[in-house]
Amino acid sequence: MSQTQPRQSGLIVLFGATGDLASRKLYPAIYQLYHRHLLSKHFAVIGTARREWDDDYFRQVVADALKKAGIEVEEKRLKQFQDHFYYVANDATKEEHFTILKEKMQTLKEKFSIESRYLYYLSIAPNLFDVATKHLKSSGIMTMDGTHRVLLEKPFGHDRTSAKALNDTLAETFSNEDIYRIDHYIGKETVQNIWFLRRFNPMIEGIWNYHFIDHVQVTLSENLPVGSRGGYYDDNGALLDMFQNHILQVMSFVGMDLPQENTASDLHAKKVAFLRSLPTLSMEQVQENIVRGQYDQSKDGKRIAYRDEEQVDDDSLTETYVAGRLTSHAKRWQGVPFYFRTGKNLSAGKYTTVELIFKSDGDLSDNPSRLSFVITPELGARIVLNQKEFGTIKSQQVMPFWPDQDVLDSLYTPESYESIIYCALRGDKTIFSTIAEIEEQWRITDSIESAWEAMPAPDFPNYPALSTGPKAADDLLKRDGRQWIYEPQWETPNPKD
């Protein structure tokens, strides 16, 4: 988002205002929009949750969140920002609480001269989505003149059937165009850059096909253990936590045909078309192309095994690592494998990359030419080329070409939740997921889950913490004559040195 983007007015109702996401991400994001003049003075935020807070306490929580995020705000400016925040205690299961909420919304709309634009952010447990949205309707809140939009955090159900049921429930209160489904990875500037780089560089789009690309690798590596998320994670695992949403969304930006029109609907249509080109996997295909793993204690004993984490079953079969090979039947990608991997407690550190490995006439399997998108950390696109090694006759050397570091450092990179909140207020659905995309993501994921349920129990744990993951993940590529790109060091060369 540039500084020239129009300022937005609106009333944000945040369900789950006492939660971790609100403190870590949402309050800092709203402040940055305010600081960057992307929010007009005609806005207000109503925080709501079960806790009996008052406005003053809530405002102090917001101030503490900004401080913890490293955002320094002059006292007068902070006070001006805090004055837009109000709190209403609310039990989402009680309709009478929504009547109180409605009265507060009407009061603040008048006080701040807010446009008739209402945004309901559901940062609450998915099992409360149904009752909360129904009470928004039954209390009369939805009859207030204006635009009413709802934002939902993942997960969107636990399989394709439940996702469709959830969507049907939301449709009883909101129209489809007013439902904004969040995958915060799409809000990342470096993910959006995948299709922008293709769109504005015809020479890149010209080689974006099976004639020039040998294969694609999508990596979401995490170096930390599950930690305090053991209870949640043991019910989901890496497949649902990372593959079903983040990996398939990122993959869809890589694999889609380039939209012909600069519209959200055309972009989503192209993404859905690519997702539909990916197969529903049979059990035999899962056995051959999908690897799952679970971390053991580290070799030095400093990291405990997954089964020893808090709130994790002693005999848990939940995967903390998943890798795989998918192939698309789209004409653009004939014979091009899409490899993916994600895992906890990995030695390579925390990073997310997309690697497009180019075909080569020579024996360059160890150092292939490639186009890289470094998503985490947000360093943008990089190209790695093979060229003549200076001082030799026939040897080659690898040379990476980065974006200009001074330019990168001079740019403000908004957090994904800044883009999410701003675009929702504006009514731009480009960076949100459609129900059609989510259903296709579940179709693929469900086929893997079903196969795992029918297969013998895995021999877990099968990789030590702080390693590169299960050996079977390396073998997955080796059998195709390929190998994973292991390159966790992202320091760009300083041309002044």
Side-chain angles (χ1 to χ4, degrees):
M1 295 179 296
S2 72
Q3 296 285 4
T4 60
Q5 295 273 51
R7 297 185 182 188
Q8 300 299 316
S9 168
L11 178 55
I12 301 171
V13 181
L14 174 57
F15 291 86
T18 62
D20 179 65
L21 178 68
S23 292
R24 285 191 305 107
K25 297 294 185 180
L26 303 185
Y27 302 139
I30 294 170
Y31 175 77
Q32 293 291 15
L33 293 176
Y34 176 78
H35 175 67
R36 297 169 57 211
H37 306 291
L38 294 172
L39 276 180
S40 76
K41 64 181 180 180
H42 306 293
F43 86 96
V45 177
I46 299 177
T48 180
R50 291 189 179 189
R51 296 181 189 177
E52 295 291 338
W53 289 0
D54 59 21
D55 293 343
D56 289 339
Y57 188 84
F58 180 43
R59 291 168 181 171
Q60 186 56 51
V61 168
V62 172
D64 291 342
L66 300 186
K67 183 177 181 180
K68 192 170 183 179
I71 301 173
E72 296 184 5
V73 187
E74 186 266 331
E75 187 174 344
K76 181 180 178 180
R77 181 72 167 168
L78 175 61
K79 177 66 166 56
Q80 292 171 341
F81 178 66
Q82 288 175 306
D83 286 347
H84 291 265
F85 284 73
Y86 293 80
Y87 186 83
V88 175
N90 178 292
D91 182 339
T93 66
K94 297 181 178 180
E95 183 180 338
E96 60 268 25
H97 288 191
F98 286 78
T99 301
I100 299 171
L101 176 62
K102 180 182 178 182
E103 293 173 356
K104 177 63 73 173
M105 292 172 65
Q106 292 172 326
T107 299
L108 295 181
K109 182 180 184 299
E110 294 296 323
K111 179 175 181 177
F112 291 99
S113 300
I114 299 172
E115 294 181 24
S116 298
R117 184 182 298 153
Y118 307 98
L119 187 61
Y120 309 97
Y121 199 124
L122 303 186
S123 180
I124 53 179
N127 65 323
L128 294 175
F129 290 172
D130 182 355
V131 65
T133 54
K134 285 182 177 179
H135 285 160
L136 284 172
K137 184 177 182 179
S138 61
S139 64
I141 289 177
M142 298 294 293
T143 64
M144 296 168 60
D145 288 340
T147 302
H148 297 262
R149 298 174 182 138
V150 61
L151 276 75
L152 295 93
E153 288 281 346
K154 72 174 181 101
F156 306 105
H158 53 83
D159 56 18
R160 191 180 190 186
T161 300
S162 60
K164 293 175 68 175
L166 172 59
N167 194 67
D168 291 342
T169 295
L170 295 173
E172 295 177 9
T173 302
F174 296 91
S175 63
N176 183 59
E177 54 267 24
D178 291 326
I179 302 173
Y180 288 69
R181 305 165 188 87
I182 299 168
D183 184 329
H184 71 267
Y185 254 69
I186 314 176
K188 289 180 176 290
E189 295 288 322
T190 40
V191 172
Q192 297 169 42
N193 191 42
I194 295 173
W195 95 78
F196 269 78
L197 185 137
R198 296 173 59 187
R199 179 185 172 201
F200 293 107
N201 298 278
M203 72 284 195
I204 296 295
E205 179 62 12
I207 60 173
W208 205 273
N209 54 63
Y210 72 94
H211 292 293
F212 298 96
I213 295 174
D214 179 77
H215 70 280
V216 177
Q217 297 184 19
V218 179
T219 299
L220 281 75
S221 172
E222 297 186 281
N223 62 332
L224 294 178
V226 170
S228 61
R229 297 179 69 220
Y232 163 82
Y233 201 89
D234 212 37
D235 288 335
N236 292 276
L239 189 73
L240 302 192
D241 191 45
M242 301 297 278
F243 171 78
Q244 187 274 334
N245 38 77
H246 302 331
I247 287 177
L248 286 175
Q249 275 292 319
V250 170
M251 201 178 287
S252 70
F253 283 121
V254 177
M256 70 178 183
D257 286 337
L258 200 61
Q260 297 302 304
E261 300 177 8
N262 188 24
T263 63
S265 59
D266 195 22
L267 172 70
H268 291 302
K270 294 298 189 290
K271 290 172 66 182
V272 169
F274 173 74
L275 290 169
R276 287 175 177 163
S277 78
L278 299 177
T280 299
L281 301 177
S282 66
M283 186 168 71
E284 291 74 18
Q285 289 172 319
V286 171
Q287 289 174 320
E288 183 178 358
N289 296 297
I290 306 297
V291 173
R292 52 178 162 166
Q294 184 189 94
Y295 64 80
D296 199 353
Q297 71 173 4
S298 58
K299 291 182 178 180
D300 61 9
K302 293 182 179 180
R303 292 277 180 97
I304 62 175
Y306 173 73
R307 291 176 176 178
D308 294 329
E309 300 280 6
E310 293 182 13
Q311 302 181 50
V312 172
D313 290 342
D314 293 341
D315 56 354
S316 174
L317 296 177
T318 298
E319 76 287 350
T320 62
Y321 182 101
V322 62
R325 179 186 191 273
L326 298 176
T327 54
S328 165
H329 61 64
K331 183 178 180 181
R332 176 187 292 266
W333 299 113
Q334 295 176 44
V336 177
F338 283 73
Y339 298 103
F340 66 88
R341 56 179 170 165
T342 183
K344 295 282 189 182
N345 240 338
L346 299 177
S347 59
K350 179 178 176 60
Y351 70 94
T352 302
T353 57
V354 174
E355 305 276 2
L356 289 91
I357 315 300
F358 297 123
K359 291 182 176 180
S360 171
D361 290 333
D363 182 18
L364 301 174
S365 58
D366 291 340
N367 296 297
S369 301
R370 61 192 186 274
L371 175 61
S372 306
F373 292 89
V374 185
I375 296 170
T376 305
E378 297 196 73
L379 294 180
R382 177 188 67 164
I383 192 163
V384 178
L385 299 178
N386 282 281
Q387 63 179 26
K388 181 181 181 295
E389 183 177 5
F390 299 159
T392 67
I393 302 300
K394 295 182 179 180
S395 299
Q396 57 81 30
Q397 65 179 1
V398 176
M399 181 63 68
F401 296 88
W402 286 93
D404 187 289
Q405 188 64 39
D406 290 336
V407 172
L408 284 176
D409 290 342
S410 70
L411 299 175
Y412 176 76
T413 304
E415 289 285 338
S416 58
Y417 282 95
E418 295 174 47
S419 300
I420 285 167
I421 294 170
Y422 180 82
C423 289
L425 284 171
R426 190 175 180 179
D428 184 345
K429 301 194 75 172
T430 302
I431 63 171
F432 297 90
S433 300
T434 66
I435 185 59
E437 292 168 43
I438 291 169
E439 286 189 31
E440 290 305 311
Q441 290 165 212
W442 275 121
R443 172 186 60 79
I444 299 163
T445 305
D446 287 349
S447 69
I448 299 173
E449 284 265 82
S450 297
W452 282 353
E453 290 174 2
M455 290 163 55
D459 185 17
F460 283 167
N462 62 350
Y463 73 95
L466 299 179
S467 69
T468 59
K471 180 179 179 296
D474 290 328
D475 294 342
L476 183 69
L477 272 70
K478 285 182 180 178
R479 75 177 189 213
D480 294 339
R482 303 179 175 107
Q483 62 184 8
W484 293 110
I485 302 296
Y486 283 104
E487 194 171 19
Q489 299 301 318
W490 308 119
E491 290 83 359
T492 59
N494 188 341
K496 298 175 183 178
D497 290 345

